[in-house]
């Protein structure tokens, strides 16, 4: 079977990097974030958790922006989260690592055309320590490497 590529999008924005929405509170799933009251928002280059902004013991974050891939092909994304996280690209769930749990890596694949694609990463922290890490491998490389701020402009 031939896999069709998700087409790249033309993007006009007045910011670079990620738009981040912050929700203070306890969430059992990222699905609870849209109904929550927004505590704060900011822009940042990558998807690291900004501990100066996300100060509550339990919280949720929504990262929205664009990811740029260097060539067309099938990409595997590796999402490690403590607690839960869900990665969506071009409005399709690529990795569902939702729920309250210790650091677990899950992965998923999506076929992407070279260029820009809509990117959304929802993350929840239930208390204690947290971890959020996103890596990828793509055409010509099976070794996972970090999704960098340069890819998220």
């Amino acid at each position: 079977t031939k896999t069709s590529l998700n087409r790249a999008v033309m993007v006009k924005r007045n910011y670079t990097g990620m738009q981040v929405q912050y929700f203070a509170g306890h969430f059992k799933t990222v699905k609870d974030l849209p109904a929550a009251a927004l505590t704060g928002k900011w822009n940042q280059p990558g998807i690291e958790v900004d501990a100066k902004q996300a100060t509550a013991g339990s919280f949720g974050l929504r990262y929205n922006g664009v990811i740029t891939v260097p060539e067309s092909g099938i990409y595997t994304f590796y999402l490690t989260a403590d607690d839960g996280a869900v990665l969506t690209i071009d409005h399709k769930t690529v990795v569902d690592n939702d729920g309250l749990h210790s650091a677990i890596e899950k992965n998923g694949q999506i076929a992407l055309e070279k260029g820009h694609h809509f990117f959304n990463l929802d993350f929840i922290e239930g208390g204690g320590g947290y971890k959020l890490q996103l890596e990828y491998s793509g055409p010509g490389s099976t070794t996972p490497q970090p999704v960098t701020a340069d890819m998220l402009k």
Side-chain angles (χ1 to χ4, degrees):
T1 37
K2 184 173 171 133
T3 303
S4 62
L5 298 171
N6 282 292
R7 298 194 49 97
V9 295
M10 294 293 294
V11 180
K12 287 185 179 181
R13 320 185 286 171
N14 60 359
Y15 66 93
T16 61
M18 294 285 101
Q19 288 186 320
V20 183
Q21 295 176 311
Y22 168 58
F23 306 88
H26 186 75
F27 305 96
K28 292 183 179 176
T29 172
V30 300
K31 294 176 188 80
D32 294 336
L33 293 178
L38 183 66
T39 306
K41 61 183 178 177
W42 61 85
N43 291 353
Q44 67 183 49
I47 58 158
E48 56 284 331
V49 175
D50 184 342
K52 291 180 183 149
Q53 303 261 20
T55 56
S58 299
F59 58 86
L61 295 170
R62 300 192 91 183
Y63 299 87
N64 291 294
V66 171
I67 187 168
T68 304
V69 295
E71 59 184 288
S72 297
I74 296 174
Y75 285 80
T76 303
F77 288 89
Y78 307 86
L79 178 58
T80 303
D82 170 2
D83 283 289
V86 175
L87 171 65
T88 306
I89 297 176
D90 289 340
H91 313 292
K92 295 179 175 109
T93 299
V94 179
V95 183
D96 185 341
N97 196 356
D98 201 3
L100 299 175
H101 51 74
S102 59
I104 297 172
E105 179 188 285
K106 291 192 176 181
N107 64 69
Q109 291 185 322
I110 187 168
L112 300 173
E113 183 179 84
K114 175 183 177 176
H116 308 301
H117 297 271
F118 295 113
F119 177 96
N120 174 263
L121 180 63
D122 289 347
F123 173 67
I124 55 170
E125 165 52 31
Y130 58 81
K131 181 171 185 171
L132 179 61
Q133 176 180 302
L134 182 61
E135 296 179 310
Y136 78 100
S137 60
S141 172
T142 57
T143 304
Q145 51 196 337
V147 170
T148 64
D150 284 344
M151 295 176 72
L152 300 172
K153 289 185 176 177

